Structure formats: C-alpha cells, structure tokens
C-alpha cells in the first residue's frame, strides 16, 4: 500500500523511533514561523475541519501497525498544524483501542489548546509537546507571524489555563532565534511564563535546517547555556540537537 499520510519510522532526536502521522496538507497552519523547515505557510488559519481523509489515515496506520514495528512513539507532525484536523481524536482513539502498546505524541504550536473540543480529542495522548518561541508580543510576531485572530496575550492565557491541568506529560519546546528572542530580558520573561505553565520539561531547540526565511542563524553554545541557566529553576531543561544537554531531575 502506498502511504500518503503516515511516514517513517524515522529516528527522531527527541522521540527515538517515531512513526509520523500527517493530518493537514502542506502548509496549513495558524503560524508562519520564520524557522519552519516545511517552509512558508500557504493557508494561515484557525479553522478546524477534516483537511485530509482520516479514514485513509486509519487504513494506512492499520497497515503499518499490524506488522508490529518497534516504535517509541506514533507522532502527529509533518506538513502543518495537526490539531487543525477536526478528527484527530478519531485517530488517537483508533491507536489506543487497537494498538494500545504504542505511545502517541502530539507536536503542536499550541494555538488551539484553548479549544474545549480539542482538549477532549487529545485526552488520551501519552505526550504533548507544544511550543513557545516568544517571551512577549513583539517576539511572538517576529518569530511566529501568527494568524491575526490569536494575539500573544490570549495564546499565553490559553496555555496557562490548559497545560497545568493537562492529563498527560507536557514537554515545552522553545526555539532560540539569535537577535530576536535571546536577550537576557527575554530569558527572564520566558522563565516567568514557564513557571506558570508547570510543564514537565523544557526542550531548547535552534536552527538545524534552512527555514522559511533565509540567512537565519543557529544559536551558539554560550546562548544555549545561558538559557539553561536562566530556565532551570522554572522547569527541568533539555537542549536537543547540536548542544545536547539534559538537566532532568
């Protein structure tokens, strides 16, 4: 069977052996992040609907998982924002009912986590990884270039409401973009926000492959270490990629 929506398994630097599930076309998202390796967003939206045929996704998953591959996670990621697909809950329930031996992870920009229906849809996840790339509105606009209906204050308010009571472990990804969100003041603001989110782990990331905007820079080791020092009292910190570091208690 030719697969269109299920890809891998791949070796993920964060999640081990991961089978990817892509629930939206390239590139449908409420953000147009400058660093996105999937390149520029073509449909900037907050509308939830069945962007790809979920019955076909389930058929592809069934075909792969019936062979009992060795996986660390089945991961929602890929071409855009997976929570935009209104049937993501059907896919999670399918895996947990038919293949309960597998853990399911969601990589998300987090903009829809205030949606009560989505909260129900993702309640059976084994791991949630939302992202936070701006410590204030200016950085959020510069890095994420969001849809106009989601201002920074509302985004943070939704995270503060949902993440502390989320029923699964939460790892917060923070992308460091030199010259934009890496000042000492930004680190302090990030720390205050993260304290209120009560996440299980912060994962620091920086540029690894070309993004949507040319000539972006990768954070250097000193900057990553400065973030680690500034955030370690707010949550356990992990740096992934080039400057891998683990401070998990």
């Amino acid at each position: 069977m030719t697969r269109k929506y299920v890809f891998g398994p791949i070796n993920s630097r964060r999640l081990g052996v991961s089978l990817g599930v892509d629930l939206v076309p390239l590139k449908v998202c409420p953000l147009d992040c400058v660093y996105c390796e999937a390149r520029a967003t073509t449909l900037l939206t907050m509308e939830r609907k069945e962007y790809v045929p979920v019955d076909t996704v389930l058929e592809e998953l069934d075909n792969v998982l019936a062979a009992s591959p060795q996986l660390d996670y089945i991961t929602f990621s890929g071409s855009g924002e997976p929570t935009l697909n209104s049937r993501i809950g059907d896919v999670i329930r399918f895996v947990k009912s038919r293949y309960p031996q597998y853990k399911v992870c969601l990589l998300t920009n987090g903009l829809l986590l205030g949606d009560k229906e989505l909260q129900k849809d993702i309640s059976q996840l084994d791991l949630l990884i939302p992202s936070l790339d701006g410590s204030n509105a200016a950085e959020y606009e510069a890095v994420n270039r969001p849809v106009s209906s989601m201002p920074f204050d509302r985004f943070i308010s939704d995270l503060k409401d949902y993440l502390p009571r989320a029923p699964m472990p939460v790892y917060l990804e923070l992308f460091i973009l030199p010259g934009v969100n890496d000042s000492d003041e930004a680190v302090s603001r990030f720390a205050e926000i993260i304290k209120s989110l009560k996440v299980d782990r912060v994962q620091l990331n920086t540029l690894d492959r070309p993004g949507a905007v040319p000539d972006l820079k990768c954070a250097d080791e000193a900057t990553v270490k400065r973030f680690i020092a500034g955030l370690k009292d707010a949550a356990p910190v992990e740096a992934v990629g080039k400057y891998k570091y683990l401070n998990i208690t």
Side-chain angles (χ1 to χ4, degrees):
M1 178 183 184
T2 301
R3 289 189 267 148
K4 187 175 181 180
Y5 306 110
V6 175
F7 58 95
I10 61 173
N11 290 314
S12 166
R13 61 184 180 177
R14 289 184 289 172
L15 297 171
V17 180
S18 173
L19 183 71
V21 180
D22 202 350
L23 292 181
V24 295
L26 186 72
K27 168 137 180 310
V28 179
C29 190
L31 299 179
D32 185 19
C33 298
V34 296
Y35 61 79
C36 185
E37 63 192 50
R39 301 307 174 95
T41 294
T42 53
L43 177 58
L44 194 67
T45 183
M46 290 279 287
E47 181 185 4
R48 296 192 72 204
K49 64 180 183 179
E50 190 176 350
Y51 285 91
V52 303
V54 166
D55 289 345
T56 303
V57 175
L58 299 182
E59 184 181 358
E60 291 185 14
L61 272 171
D62 206 21
N63 183 265
V64 174
L65 298 179
S68 301
Q70 295 295 311
L71 303 173
D72 293 300
Y73 283 97
I74 297 169
T75 307
F76 294 104
S77 60
S79 297
E81 175 50 47
T83 61
L84 287 171
N85 194 305
S86 56
R87 292 189 61 195
I88 188 173
D90 291 339
V91 185
I92 296 170
R93 287 185 287 271
F94 171 84
V95 173
K96 301 312 287 185
S97 62
R98 289 182 61 101
Y99 301 98
Q101 68 270 34
Y102 292 113
K103 294 188 289 186
V104 181
C105 173
L106 168 63
L107 302 181
T108 174
N109 57 42
L111 262 70
L112 283 93
L113 289 177
D115 186 305
K116 301 302 182 185
E117 287 302 314
L118 176 63
Q119 293 173 12
K120 295 176 184 176
D121 288 340
I122 65 174
S123 61
Q124 293 186 65
L125 285 174
D126 296 286
L127 179 61
L128 174 63
I129 305 182
S131 59
L132 174 67
D133 303 323
S135 70
N136 60 17
E139 293 169 5
Y140 171 67
E141 293 285 343
V143 178
N144 299 130
R145 301 189 296 188
V147 65
S148 60
S149 59
M150 182 53 75
F152 179 73
D153 288 348
R154 179 181 162 197
F155 171 50
I156 296 300
S157 177
D158 286 350
L159 293 183
K160 289 180 178 180
D161 175 68
Y162 177 67
L163 294 186
R165 57 182 177 84
M168 74 293 290
V170 177
Y171 295 175
L172 184 73
E173 181 179 14
L174 194 163
F175 190 95
I176 305 172
L177 190 63
V180 181
N181 67 351
D182 65 337
S183 68
D184 289 343
E185 293 79 11
V187 174
S188 296
R189 290 192 297 265
F190 276 123
E192 288 304 308
I193 295 171
I194 290 167
K195 284 178 185 177
S196 68
L197 302 182
K198 303 188 185 305
V199 297
D200 297 277
R201 185 179 302 186
V202 173
Q203 294 183 320
L204 299 176
N205 206 349
T206 190
L207 197 69
D208 183 56
R209 291 178 285 273
V213 172
D215 301 324
L216 300 177
K217 305 297 184 184
C218 172
D220 60 22
E221 185 175 8
T223 299
V224 174
K225 287 183 175 179
R226 185 160 49 81
F227 268 80
I228 292 167
L231 300 180
K232 62 184 177 62
D233 291 335
V237 181
E238 177 182 14
V240 299
K242 185 176 180 180
Y243 307 116
K244 191 168 180 63
Y245 167 86
L246 195 65
N247 177 30
I248 307 300
T249 55

